[in-house]
């Protein structure tokens, strides 16, 4: 629904665009209420699993799109490559709660991926496109501070005063609402770039769909239990498209955002079917 609203009712989305950071901070604060910081100690036992997810996150999809670059307009290819060479979105923590995944593992992965992005993303873009981009290291650290560190501190304060129990039943529906607002505000500014008459754009939609499905399949195959399957799948396909928009616009101009838009449409459109599948799968396994 938020995808459709962002395309057909642009004006409210343009207003929401100015509040994406506070929305993300609110989502992360609620998400961190479900995180047990003691669980972070277990990372030493599963470090190699996080390593595989990080390698897959940055390199596998980027390589797949590189194999198909000759079939795409160069600007659309660059837009897709930037989207796929960036880390998963911070909001995967909220999705872990909405979809009954593991928010702690989502937090660890997205934080690690964002810290590595200033090195890995430019390297991947150079490797697969021979183009130079710049990812500001200080800006990335500031992003992590705003959207991870501050929400963790706020969540711990809420827990300390015992308000987390009162908020618990509202966390999932509140995050569902915030995700809708986030998507609406994220899609609206680039909705005017959608053009279904462009053959390369339609192909980009198809390629984005195939890559998304493959990443979900890999997440389910790699996960050891239902929580992990959901967590890895979401991390694998849901990227930080807000950051991709900024990098694409500053590095290659508006034309590159068309490819990014194809990926945004697919990954946002697949969220509802993905949630339906998870619900049906849960019912079947009972």
């Amino acid at each position: 629904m938020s995808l459709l609203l962002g395309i057909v009712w642009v004006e409210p989305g343009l207003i929401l665009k100015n509040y994406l950071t506070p929305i993300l901070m609110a989502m992360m604060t609620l998400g961190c209420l479900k995180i047990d910081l003691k669980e972070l100690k277990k990372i030493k036992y599963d470090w190699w699993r996080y390593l595989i997810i990080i390698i897959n996150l940055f390199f596998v999809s980027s390589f797949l799109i590189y194999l198909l670059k000759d079939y795409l307009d160069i600007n659309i290819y660059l837009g897709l490559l930037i989207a796929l060479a960036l880390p998963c979105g911070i909001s995967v923590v909220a999705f872990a709660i909405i979809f009954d995944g593991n928010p702690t593992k989502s937090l660890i992965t997205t934080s690690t991926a964002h810290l590595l992005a200033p090195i890995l993303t430019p390297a991947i873009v150079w490797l697969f496109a021979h183009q130079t981009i710049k990812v500001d290291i200080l800006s990335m650290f500031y992003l992590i501070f705003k959207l991870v560190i501050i929400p963790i501190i706020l969540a711990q304060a809420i827990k300390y005063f015992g308000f987390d129990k009162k908020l618990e039943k509202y966390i999932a529906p509140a995050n569902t609402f915030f995700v809708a607002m986030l998507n609406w505000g994220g899609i609206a500014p680039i909705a005017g770039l959608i053009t279904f008459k462009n053959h390369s754009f339609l192909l980009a939609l198809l390629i984005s769909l195939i890559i998304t499905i493959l990443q979900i399949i890999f997440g389910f195959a790699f996960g050891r239990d239902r929580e992990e399957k959901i967590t890895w799948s979401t991390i694998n396909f849901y990227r930080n498209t807000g950051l991709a928009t900024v990098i694409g616009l500053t590095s290659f101009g508006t034309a590159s955002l068309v490819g990014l838009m194809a990926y945004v449409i697919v990954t946002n459109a697949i969220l509802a079917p993905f949630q339906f599948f998870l619900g049906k799968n849960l019912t079947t396994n009972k």
Side-chain angles (χ1 to χ4, degrees):
M1 178 62 73
S2 58
L3 172 64
L4 185 60
L5 287 172
I7 295 172
V8 302
W9 197 13
V10 175
E11 289 78 11
L14 294 177
I15 296 173
L16 285 170
K17 178 192 70 172
N18 301 315
Y19 301 97
L20 295 184
T21 297
I23 290 172
L24 270 170
M25 290 182 71
M27 286 172 58
M28 285 297 294
T29 301
L30 291 175
C32 288
L33 291 176
K34 305 284 285 187
I35 290 173
D36 184 359
L37 293 182
K38 294 178 182 178
E39 290 290 312
L40 298 179
K41 296 178 182 179
K42 296 181 180 180
I43 191 174
K44 61 184 178 182
Y45 302 113
D46 283 337
W47 64 268
W48 64 273
R49 301 186 73 84
Y50 289 103
L51 178 61
I52 290 175
I53 288 295
I54 291 293
I55 292 172
N56 172 69
L57 186 63
F58 281 100
F59 290 99
V60 174
S61 294
S62 299
F63 179 66
L64 289 175
I65 198 66
Y66 169 72
L67 295 177
L68 298 168
K69 71 183 182 76
D70 291 338
Y71 301 97
L72 293 167
D73 173 84
I74 183 61
N75 289 308
I76 290 180
Y77 168 67
L78 288 172
L80 278 173
L81 181 62
I82 290 171
L84 295 170
L86 280 168
C88 50
I90 298 287
S91 51
V92 293
V93 178
F95 285 128
I97 295 170
I98 295 169
F99 297 151
D100 293 324
N102 188 312
T104 303
K105 289 179 178 177
S106 295
L107 178 67
I108 293 170
T109 308
T110 191
S111 299
T112 304
H114 277 84
L115 290 173
L116 292 173
I119 299 171
L120 293 182
T121 299
I124 291 168
V125 173
W126 172 254
L127 179 65
F128 294 137
H130 296 296
Q131 298 283 343
T132 302
I133 66 168
K134 181 180 179 182
V135 181
D136 193 314
I137 296 177
L138 291 178
S139 294
M140 197 64 72
F141 275 109
Y142 184 52
L143 181 71
I144 294 293
F145 178 74
K146 286 192 300 182
L147 301 182
V148 177
I149 304 302
I150 291 178
I152 287 176
I153 294 172
L154 290 174
Q156 292 307 303
I158 292 171
K159 285 182 177 181
Y160 179 80
F161 290 106
F163 295 134
D164 55 315
K165 299 300 181 184
K166 296 179 181 179
L167 293 173
E168 188 170 0
K169 65 179 180 180
Y170 302 110
I171 292 176
N175 271 336
T176 301
F177 172 76
F178 286 139
V179 166
M181 297 299 100
L182 189 69
N183 290 338
W184 193 354
I187 292 168
I190 53 177
L193 298 174
I194 298 175
T195 169
F196 293 104
K197 295 180 181 180
N198 186 324
H199 174 266
S200 193
F201 177 72
L202 294 176
L203 183 58
L205 287 172
L206 177 61
I207 291 171
S208 298
L209 178 61
I210 292 171
I211 288 176
T212 299
I213 292 172
L214 288 175
Q215 287 290 9
I216 291 173
I217 291 172
F218 173 72
F220 267 77
F222 191 65
R224 292 169 293 188
D225 53 36
R226 187 175 187 273
E227 271 194 355
E228 271 199 357
K229 292 177 188 293
I230 293 169
T231 303
W232 299 144
S233 297
T234 310
I235 285 170
N236 285 346
F237 80 82
Y238 199 84
R239 304 304 176 102
N240 191 335
T241 51
L243 182 58
T245 301
V246 173
I247 293 175
L249 192 61
T250 55
S251 300
F252 306 117
T254 306
S256 68
L257 299 185
V258 178
L260 171 63
M261 191 65 194
Y263 192 78
V264 170
I265 289 174
V266 168
T267 52
N268 280 278
I270 211 167
L271 288 173
F274 183 63
Q275 188 172 18
F276 174 77
F277 165 75
L278 293 176
K280 186 175 181 181
N281 186 253
L282 177 62
T283 303
T284 303
N285 290 337
K286 282 184 177 180

